[in-house]
Amino acid sequence: MLNRPDKDALRAMLESQVQEKLQHDPDAVTTYAAQPVPDRKPYTSKPTVQDKAFHKELEQMRADAEAGVIHTPKREPEDGGAPSLKLDDYPDL
């Protein structure tokens, strides 16, 4: 069976190998400055499709108001014989 060295023995062996390499070739290891920690930016949510549609409609309403365009709501014609889907058609709801 093979006897495997523990972590401390491996660390010591690697450290001795690094020191030996540095004695023979001092330029073998190049050290660099650490990268700065990036600044955290505040969370901003992306606009949803509904948000975009709302802002588009709002801008359209503002443009119409500045141009003097008046929109009147469309009403359903009150025909006695024509079928319609009003809530009165379903009294138990």
Side-chain angles (χ1 to χ4, degrees):
M1 231 192 213
L2 294 174
N3 253 350
R4 293 188 176 142
D6 61 344
K7 289 183 181 181
D8 293 329
L10 283 174
R11 285 188 185 112
M13 182 176 63
L14 289 173
E15 181 66 29
S16 66
Q17 289 178 357
V18 168
Q19 293 301 326
E20 184 180 324
K21 177 70 175 173
L22 287 176
Q23 286 177 357
H24 293 297
D25 186 14
D27 295 330
V29 177
T30 305
T31 56
Y32 297 96
Q35 293 290 329
V37 177
D39 295 332
R40 290 190 60 121
K41 295 181 181 173
Y43 174 77
T44 54
S45 63
K46 294 181 181 178
T48 62
V49 175
Q50 289 84 5
D51 292 337
K52 291 177 185 177
F54 173 76
H55 289 294
K56 183 178 178 183
E57 186 69 26
L58 193 60
E59 290 300 319
Q60 182 65 38
M61 291 172 66
R62 287 181 180 149
D64 289 347
E66 289 177 3
V69 177
I70 298 173
H71 293 283
T72 56
K74 297 179 183 177
R75 295 186 179 194
E76 292 182 17
E78 299 269 340
D79 291 337
S84 67
L85 293 175
K86 293 185 178 181
L87 290 178
D88 297 336
D89 293 340
Y90 304 99
D92 294 334
L93 289 180

